[in-house]
């Protein structure tokens, strides 16, 4: 790898998301030209910003890995704008995969299928399968249509950093390393797509997202879950030990801001807030930590905003609002020099599973469980 890569002049384009993007087509033409020359353009999607490149060009894909600092054994998702393009990149689509496409595409669902020859091994990290996603966001759809090739697009962040949900997040991580950023506002969902693998006997959800296990279960007779919710990994039970383990293995470092996050769980929301306050006041008294709290509308009033940096992620009744704010809140904590964050546990089922998956990972599975099992 050549480390002395010249700094690029990253262009910023403002696009207003609408059904009819014709009036802004010149921007798309310029971005398509950059992509077809082997360049990288960040675009919003309905989940997070993606770093788009020509998925058929090994050089473009290599540039993607380099800009993100991503290990080359982590394959990319290929984004398509039509079923014609789907047939270009994959073969032998099982009936059950078709059922999911009918129900959830275009949208935040990525399906792993056998790849065709047109997809280079650089894109799939040497796998025979390809991850395919038909997004619903009009900006990335128009970018794909203008390029007339499928676009590989990992999240447009530096590897291990929180995924970008605003153009400013992409700028923070990748300015000077990519050709352009299309600023199309804040992403609708704020967490990455659900990934489901059809290369196994029973389709298996590898990453939870806003197409939830419960929604998929309504369509498929059988579906497995990779143990992404296994919070027993490195879980700290506050009732059995007072020692919080040091940073866990780097294998869990993901979505991580430069501050330590602890997830706090208890039997009720009230008890979660009570315990966070207890921990936060102890820390303020005993250490030099700047404390941040990730609260919800239901609990925000429980915390002293003069003592702690408290972010209201949104209502527990509206998990999309919470997920939209999650990665931004991590970056805000950093910006405010917060060194330790207490985050409220948000539940296990439906959309909460996707949000908790990101939060648990960002915390390195430092979960403080005050739940009393009766
Ligand atoms: O919402 C999203 O999916 C966003 C937007 C930009 O579309 N993209 C995204 O890409 O999150 P990325 O690269 O950050 O995450 C892709 C995930 C990784 O966990 C990768 O290992 C997995 O999909 N993946 C990709 N191809 C795969 C394959 N052939 N087999 C198994 N896992 C695969
Ligand atoms: Mg990512």
């Amino acid at each position: 790898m050549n480390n002395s890569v010249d700094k690029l002049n990253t262009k910023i384009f403002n696009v207003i998301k609408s059904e009819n993007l014709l009036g802004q087509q010149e921007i798309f033409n310029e971005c398509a030209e950059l992509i077809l020359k082997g360049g990288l353009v960040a675009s919003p999607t309905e989940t997070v910003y993606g770093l788009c490149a020509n998925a058929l060009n090994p050089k473009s894909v290599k540039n993607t890995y380099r800009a993100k600092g991503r290990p080359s054994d982590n394959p990319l998702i290929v984004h398509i704008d039509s079923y014609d393009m789907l047939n270009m990149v994959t073969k032998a689509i099982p009936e059950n995969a078709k059922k999911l496409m009918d129900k959830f595409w275009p949208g935040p669902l990525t399906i792993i299928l056998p790849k065709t020859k047109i997809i280079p091994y650089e894109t799939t990290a040497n796998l025979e399968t390809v991850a395919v996603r038909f997004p619903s966001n009009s900006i990335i759809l128009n970018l794909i249509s203008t390029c007339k090739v499928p676009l590989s697009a990992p999240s447009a962040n530096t590897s291990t950093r929180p995924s970008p949900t605003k153009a400013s997040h992409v700028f923070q991580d990748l300015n000077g390393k990519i050709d352009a950023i299309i600023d199309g506002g804040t992403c609708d969902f704020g967490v990455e797509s659900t990934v489901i693998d059809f290369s196994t006997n029973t389709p298996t959800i590898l990453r939870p997202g806003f197409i939830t296990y419960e929604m998929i279960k309504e369509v498929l007779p059988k579906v497995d879950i990779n143990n992404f919710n296994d919070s027993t990994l490195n879980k700290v039970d506050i009732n059995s030990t007072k020692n919080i383990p040091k940073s866990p293995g780097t294998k869990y470092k993901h979505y991580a801001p430069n501050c330590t996050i602890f997830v706090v769980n208890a039997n009720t929301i009230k008890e979660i807030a009570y315990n966070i306050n207890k921990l936060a006041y102890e820390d303020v008294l005993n250490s030099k930590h700047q404390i941040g709290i990730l609260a919800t509308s239901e609990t925000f009033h429980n915390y002293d905003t003069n003592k702690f940096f408290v972010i209201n992620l949104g209502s527990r009744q509206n998990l999309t609002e919470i997920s939209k704010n999650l990665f931004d809140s991590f970056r805000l904590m950093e910006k405010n020099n917060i060194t330790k964050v207490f985050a409220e546990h948000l539940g296990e089922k439906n959309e909460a599973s996707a949000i908790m998956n990101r939060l648990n990972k960002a915390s390195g599975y430092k979960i403080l469980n005050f739940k009393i099992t009766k």
Side-chain angles (χ1 to χ4, degrees):
M1 196 176 91
N2 179 8
N3 284 322
S4 59
V5 186
D6 286 342
K7 201 167 181 267
L8 295 171
N9 173 23
T10 304
K11 292 183 181 171
I12 316 264
F13 297 104
N14 287 296
V15 169
I16 296 157
K17 193 173 68 174
S18 70
E19 287 303 311
N20 187 358
L21 292 166
L22 269 182
Q24 305 168 82
Q25 187 56 39
E26 265 179 33
I27 294 176
F28 289 91
N29 293 343
E30 195 172 338
C31 289
E33 204 175 302
L34 290 169
I35 288 175
L36 295 173
K37 270 198 249 165
L40 306 176
V41 175
S43 165
T45 81
E46 68 276 24
T47 56
V48 300
Y49 274 73
L51 186 55
C52 300
N54 179 354
L56 310 183
N57 180 351
K59 267 196 193 148
S60 309
V61 171
K62 278 186 190 152
N63 286 341
T64 308
Y65 284 100
R66 185 166 51 210
K68 275 181 65 76
R70 176 176 174 122
S72 58
D73 62 355
N74 194 359
L76 306 178
I77 295 175
V78 170
H79 295 65
I80 56 169
D81 69 347
S82 62
Y83 285 91
D84 282 344
M85 219 178 243
L86 173 71
N87 293 326
M88 213 168 123
V89 303
T90 184
K91 51 189 181 192
I93 305 166
E95 271 313 305
N96 280 334
K98 281 188 189 147
K99 280 189 193 157
L100 289 185
M101 292 170 186
D102 284 348
K103 179 96 181 170
F104 301 117
W105 273 7
L109 177 70
T110 298
I111 303 182
I112 295 173
L113 294 163
K115 82 172 193 72
T116 55
K117 280 204 182 110
I118 200 173
I119 297 291
Y121 284 112
E122 282 79 359
T123 304
T124 67
N126 286 325
L127 295 173
E128 292 299 335
T129 53
V130 60
V132 195
R133 175 156 121 72
F134 191 157
S136 59
N137 176 289
S138 59
I139 296 177
I140 187 164
L141 278 177
N142 196 41
L143 186 61
I144 305 168
S145 305
T146 310
C147 291
K148 298 192 176 69
V149 292
L151 299 181
S152 54
S155 49
N157 53 309
T158 298
S159 203
T160 79
R161 301 267 305 139
S163 291
T165 52
K166 293 178 176 178
S168 59
H169 300 162
V170 182
F171 186 83
Q172 227 178 20
D173 283 11
L174 300 177
N175 180 35
K177 295 181 175 173
I178 64 176
D179 295 276
I181 300 171
I182 301 177
D183 183 346
T186 304
C187 299
D188 292 338
F189 292 107
V191 294
E192 306 85 344
S193 62
T194 308
V195 178
I196 184 160
D197 186 2
F198 272 86
S199 71
T200 42
N201 277 345
T202 306
T204 305
I205 301 176
L206 300 182
R207 181 172 74 181
F210 268 67
I211 305 299
T212 63
Y213 168 75
E214 290 81 356
M215 288 157 76
I216 292 173
K217 195 87 185 74
E218 276 185 21
V219 181
L220 300 187
K222 246 183 122 192
V223 55
D224 280 346
I225 298 184
N226 200 32
N227 67 348
F228 50 72
N229 280 334
D230 189 358
S231 50
T232 55
L233 298 162
N234 290 320
K235 182 153 91 178
V236 183
D237 189 336
I238 205 77
N239 297 313
S240 64
T241 173
K242 281 194 169 155
N243 296 324
I244 292 156
K246 295 218 175 76
S247 169
T250 47
K251 93 179 165 178
Y252 295 125
K253 193 165 159 54
H254 212 51
Y255 312 116
N258 294 327
C259 45
T260 314
I261 301 180
F262 290 87
V263 176
V264 178
N265 198 8
N267 286 81
T268 62
I269 303 175
K270 222 171 148 189
E271 285 170 32
I272 290 177
Y274 168 82
N275 283 298
I276 288 184
N277 265 320
K278 205 163 158 248
L279 291 161
Y281 277 107
E282 270 169 22
D283 261 318
V284 164
L285 283 178
N286 299 332
S287 76
K288 294 190 183 95
H289 278 297
Q290 295 293 320
I291 301 293
I293 296 173
L294 293 182
T296 49
S297 308
E298 288 78 2
T299 55
F300 187 74
H301 65 276
N302 289 101
Y303 304 113
D304 185 345
T305 49
N306 291 318
K307 288 207 164 52
F308 312 121
F309 183 67
V310 190
I311 294 179
N312 179 359
L313 289 175
S315 169
R316 286 167 176 268
Q317 303 305 314
N318 182 355
L319 290 173
T320 314
E321 188 189 5
I322 292 185
S323 71
K324 226 175 172 166
N325 291 325
L326 186 72
F327 288 132
D328 187 48
S329 77
F330 293 171
R331 288 179 188 256
L332 269 175
M333 288 289 172
E334 266 182 13
K335 219 174 173 178
N336 285 277
N337 300 316
I338 300 301
T339 53
K340 198 171 190 179
V341 175
F342 294 105
E344 295 179 4
H345 194 278
L346 298 161
E348 316 272 351
K349 291 211 156 62
N350 299 306
E351 288 83 359
S353 160
I355 302 172
M356 286 313 299
N357 170 263
R358 286 16 175 229
L359 197 47
N360 288 341
K361 278 194 173 171
S363 79
Y365 293 90
K366 290 189 287 298
I367 302 161
L368 307 177
N369 189 11
F370 294 89
K371 250 184 172 170
I372 299 157
T373 34
K374 285 161 194 154

